[in-house]
Amino acid sequence: MRRRPVGGALPDQTEKGASKNQNSRLCCLASLSAFFWFLLLYFHFVVLAGHTNTNTHPNPNNNNNSINNYVGVDFTEIPQPLPVIRHDSNVNVSHDDVALKLQPPPRKFGFPKSDHDGETHAPPIGKSDVVGGGRDTKKKRFPFERALRASENKSDPCGGRYIYVHDLPSRFNEDMLKECKSLSLWTNMCKFTANAGLGPPLENVEGVFSDMGWYATNQFAVDVIFSNRMKQYECLTKDSSVAAAIFVPFYAGFDIARYLWGYNISRRDAASLDLVDWLMKRPEWSIMNGKDHFLVAGRITWDFRRLSEEESDWGNKLLFLPAAKNMSMLVVESSPWNANDFGIPYPTYFHPAKDADVFKWQDRMRALERKWLFSFAGAPRPGNSKSIRGQLIDQCRSSKVCKLLECDFGESKCHSPSSIMQMFQSSLFCLQPQGDSYTRRSAFDSMLAGCIPVFFHPGSAYTQYTWHLPKNYTKYSVFIPEDDIRKRNISIEERLRQIPPEQVKIMREEVISLIPRLVYADPRSKLETLKDAFDVSVQAIIDKVTNLRKDIIEGRTHDDFIEENSWKYALLDEGKHEVGPHEWDPFFSKPKDGSGDSSDSSAEAAKNSWKNEQRSHSRK
């Protein structure tokens, strides 16, 4: 048997064995290294990536992390889970490519659409909107906030007073003036639309008027007078987003005057429906659905409140259109039972061009000696059983201290501005019963003359002109309830004599001080410091819209508001919102038809008012 030598293997055998051992070690090390890198890559890209993705994306079922709690974030660009990069020998991936894929896209921040009116975006955020160093993204935005912020700019004299005027097609205004002969069935109204709506100048033959500013103004001409005054308003803007209110220069009064007699309801309603359709397509309308819009009609409200679709019913239905109910309409007589119309003064014959014209007239009215205790200009209403005019005429005739100007008998002096103003200037008190409706122009003519008005129904002034007259009516007028005349036959002379002379003087001074607020200045000029009826009306509308906007922002809804009691709310002191029983409730009991809007008597009153106005002009 052969034994292996003790000294070791042969040289060639040893070399072969060493080579085999070295290759085995290298293979083992390579395998371990590959396995180590495999584990490292697996842990990094699978385990760690899984945790990152779980924490990055909110659970859609978790309310605390729902998408609704993110404001203005574009969730379509939130980084997705990182892809596993395969080290494939056939794919060449550079470090720059990997870095680019690993960078998350930028996050986008913005502000959501306003919930108000659907499509309007909120204005840019301001410093006041940043809370605690970040954006208050949960605060609800309103598209009219910029207009409210404008009022806080103390360096801007027009801040909070800007008015935006719609550029209406001419068919809604100027075309009517071009066809002025069609504005009345009996009278050529062209002369009354001259001089920016003031009418022809009045001659001062008897020295009753002052030298300048007197015109034969039609009592229903406020449409054009107001619109022309608006052209001189110092705070007009072409940027509706800063407007405190939006004016609609539609000649609503002239429109309906054309079609009150002999036209069907389709023709009477046509322009109103056309206007509403035009307005609702405008972007300005969608901001508040028209609640910041206002327009003017120089007629009584009943001309625009036709209840039925009967051809025999009076007027049009402008104020009953859903869109028009959101707007504010300024009329010479408003409804006590509705909230979308507001009373403004009838135009008088006086239209001052500057402050000095007003001051001079006021001084003259203070200095006059008044020889009559009271006076009355008017005609009886034999067809109206509720009218007290006949009794007033009888009392005046039987009194030695009353001046009577009887109307409706031939060529009456009632239709002469000079005769009317001369009588009022010579009287301490002027009787102002209801006209064909609640109100009459004569009330403003008498106050212009410094004569203290005597009213017999609260709807003739107290609930009508709350923007222009003091709520404390005892400061400037005397109130004698109609029933005191109708049922108890109280003596007007005795009632007025009971007022002390010193009190009469104080009341007359109050009336004279009100004159600037009751007249419409010449639209072709501008008063320097005084506020006329136009200025008072515009400011009242601005206040109304501003308060409404604040209510919307603060979430006040006034759910307890009762529209039928609108006349009561107008009498409340500022800051008050609740109404209850009132001493004047019997005067405003709801009509028997239950509508609270336009009873047969109201429509008849409107019709009679129109007839009498046309007859008065036809005599001239």
Side-chain angles (χ1 to χ4, degrees):
M1 180 179 75
R2 294 182 179 180
R3 295 182 181 179
R4 193 173 51 182
V6 177
L10 295 172
D12 58 336
Q13 291 177 336
T14 303
E15 185 175 346
K16 289 181 180 179
S19 176
K20 285 183 179 181
N21 290 336
Q22 187 174 3
N23 290 336
S24 298
R25 291 191 187 97
L26 290 174
C27 289
C28 181
L29 289 174
S31 299
L32 289 173
S33 177
F35 182 72
F36 172 78
W37 283 105
F38 174 80
L39 289 177
L40 184 62
L41 292 172
Y42 178 85
F43 181 82
H44 178 76
F45 289 108
V46 177
V47 178
L48 289 183
H51 279 289
T52 302
N53 294 337
T54 301
N55 294 331
T56 301
H57 296 281
N59 182 353
N61 297 321
N62 187 342
N63 291 331
N64 294 328
N65 293 317
S66 69
I67 196 170
N68 294 327
N69 290 333
Y70 290 82
V71 180
V73 180
D74 189 345
F75 281 90
T76 62
E77 299 194 21
I78 288 181
Q80 299 300 313
L82 295 174
V84 177
I85 302 177
R86 300 179 181 275
H87 293 277
D88 195 322
S89 60
N90 295 324
V91 179
N92 184 16
V93 181
S94 69
H95 291 290
D96 291 338
D97 291 334
V98 174
L100 185 62
K101 290 182 179 180
L102 293 179
Q103 288 180 356
R107 300 181 73 187
K108 293 184 178 180
F109 288 88
F111 292 93
K113 290 182 179 180
S114 168
D115 293 336
H116 191 77
D117 294 327
E119 296 298 325
T120 305
H121 290 272
I125 194 167
K127 290 183 179 180
S128 61
D129 300 312
V130 179
V131 180
R135 298 177 189 266
D136 182 10
T137 56
K138 293 185 179 180
K139 182 179 179 181
K140 190 173 183 179
R141 297 289 175 178
F142 298 93
F144 48 74
E145 287 185 1
R146 187 181 176 206
L148 285 178
R149 286 199 295 268
S151 63
E152 300 171 1
N153 184 0
K154 304 304 180 183
S155 63
D156 183 0
C158 287
R161 298 175 56 227
Y162 285 109
I163 297 292
Y164 177 86
V165 180
H166 274 300
D167 185 15
L168 294 181
S170 60
R171 65 181 180 274
F172 293 119
N173 40 51
E174 294 303 320
D175 287 354
M176 298 184 201
L177 300 184
K178 294 176 182 178
E179 301 172 0
C180 52
K181 291 183 179 180
S182 68
L183 296 180
S184 170
L185 184 62
W186 297 283
T187 304
N188 182 358
M189 291 292 290
C190 294
K191 68 176 182 178
F192 296 108
T193 59
N195 293 313
L198 305 183
L202 286 172
E203 295 182 1
N204 192 22
V205 177
E206 301 178 32
V208 177
F209 314 123
S210 49
D211 295 333
M212 301 291 293
W214 290 81
Y215 298 83
T217 305
N218 183 276
Q219 70 171 357
F220 296 137
V222 172
D223 302 59
V224 64
I225 294 174
F226 202 99
S227 292
N228 284 323
R229 277 286 282 111
M230 184 63 76
K231 295 175 183 178
Q232 301 295 328
Y233 184 63
E234 65 272 20
C235 294
L236 295 179
T237 180
K238 293 183 179 180
D239 182 359
S240 62
S241 69
V242 300
I246 296 177
F247 179 57
V248 182
F250 173 48
Y251 294 165
F254 285 169
D255 169 57
I256 189 57
R258 298 180 293 179
Y259 308 120
L260 280 173
W261 299 95
Y263 291 88
N264 60 30
I265 58 175
S266 297
R267 194 70 189 91
R268 283 180 260 159
D269 292 338
S272 297
L273 293 171
D274 188 13
L275 173 74
V276 166
D277 180 68
W278 188 91
L279 288 173
M280 293 180 69
K281 292 177 181 178
R282 299 290 302 172
E284 296 84 8
W285 180 270
S286 64
I287 301 301
M288 294 184 70
N289 287 327
K291 292 182 179 180
D292 52 356
H293 285 50
F294 71 105
L295 68 160
V296 174
R299 299 197 61 81
I300 60 177
T301 188
W302 315 112
D303 290 336
F304 310 98
R305 293 190 177 279
R306 191 188 72 245
L307 278 176
S308 74
E309 296 302 305
E310 297 292 331
E311 295 291 344
S312 60
D313 205 352
W314 181 258
N316 66 25
K317 59 180 181 181
L318 171 59
L319 284 174
F320 282 139
L321 297 177
K325 287 184 176 181
N326 283 352
M327 294 190 286
S328 298
M329 188 158 167
L330 311 187
V331 289
V332 293
E333 177 179 313
S334 63
S335 165
W337 307 294
N338 296 95
N340 61 333
D341 58 358
F342 302 87
I344 59 174
Y346 284 87
T348 64
Y349 303 111
F350 184 41
H351 304 282
K354 53 184 182 295
D355 287 5
D357 296 341
V358 180
F359 297 145
K360 184 177 179 180
W361 178 257
Q362 288 176 306
D363 289 341
R364 181 177 171 180
M365 293 305 100
R366 291 186 180 100
L368 287 176
E369 291 188 9
R370 302 172 185 266
K371 62 180 180 179
W372 302 106
L373 176 64
F374 64 107
S375 62
F376 176 62
R381 294 290 186 267
N384 184 355
S385 60
K386 294 183 179 180
S387 176
I388 62 171
R389 285 187 170 213
Q391 290 165 281
L392 298 185
I393 292 173
D394 290 342
Q395 286 204 32
C396 191
R397 281 176 179 164
S398 62
S399 173
K400 295 181 180 180
V401 292
C402 181
K403 172 65 176 176
L404 178 63
L405 197 61
E406 296 188 74
C407 305
D408 214 26
F409 293 99
E411 293 295 324
S412 172
K413 290 185 177 181
C414 285
H415 309 304
S416 165
S418 179
S419 298
I420 293 174
M421 293 301 295
Q422 190 173 42
M423 183 189 72
F424 289 156
Q425 290 175 29
S426 62
S427 306
L428 289 174
F429 298 93
C430 295
L431 306 186
Q432 298 296 343
Q434 295 187 70
D436 297 294
S437 56
Y438 287 131
T439 62
R440 61 197 303 241
R441 171 187 179 157
S442 176
F444 294 97
D445 289 334
S446 65
M447 286 189 279
L448 176 61
C451 187
I452 302 169
V454 180
F455 294 111
F456 302 87
H457 192 292
S460 295
Y462 306 148
T463 63
Q464 288 286 342
Y465 311 109
T466 56
W467 293 347
H468 299 79
L469 297 174
K471 290 183 180 179
N472 182 1
Y473 61 88
T474 62
K475 295 175 63 177
Y476 69 93
S477 71
V478 176
F479 179 58
I480 303 176
E482 286 180 335
D483 277 352
D484 285 356
I485 304 296
R486 185 184 298 114
K487 297 179 180 179
R488 290 177 281 277
N489 199 31
I490 187 175
S491 170
I492 297 173
E493 180 180 338
E494 290 181 8
R495 172 70 175 83
L496 297 179
R497 286 189 182 277
Q498 292 173 0
I499 304 174
E502 188 61 30
Q503 182 64 27
V504 172
K505 184 178 180 180
I506 294 173
M507 294 173 70
R508 183 169 67 249
E509 178 58 33
E510 181 69 21
V511 170
I512 294 173
S513 70
L514 290 172
I515 289 176
R517 303 169 62 88
L518 305 181
V519 299
Y520 295 92
D522 191 324
R524 298 161 296 185
S525 60
K526 182 73 175 67
L527 299 180
E528 295 88 357
T529 62
L530 296 175
K531 303 298 182 183
D532 71 340
F534 167 87
D535 293 317
V536 173
S537 301
V538 170
Q539 188 58 53
I541 283 291
I542 288 175
D543 292 342
K544 175 181 178 291
V545 174
T546 299
N547 290 334
L548 175 60
R549 287 170 170 173
K550 290 179 179 179
D551 284 347
I552 292 173
I553 289 176
E554 296 173 13
R556 292 192 294 265
T557 58
H558 301 295
D559 294 331
D560 56 347
F561 177 79
I562 303 173
E563 187 171 17
E564 184 183 331
N565 290 332
S566 293
W567 65 272
K568 294 184 181 182
Y569 291 100
L571 301 176
L572 291 175
D573 293 330
E574 187 174 354
K576 303 293 184 181
H577 302 288
E578 296 182 2
V579 297
H582 197 282
E583 60 178 315
W584 291 339
D585 283 337
F587 290 96
F588 299 106
S589 57
K590 204 169 183 180
K592 293 181 179 179
D593 63 1
S595 67
D597 296 302
S598 177
S599 64
D600 291 340
S601 60
S602 299
E604 191 64 29
K607 190 181 299 183
N608 290 335
S609 176
W610 180 246
K611 285 180 179 178
N612 289 328
E613 172 67 12
Q614 296 310 310
R615 287 170 183 165
S616 69
H617 285 301
S618 65
R619 294 190 183 97
K620 295 181 180 180

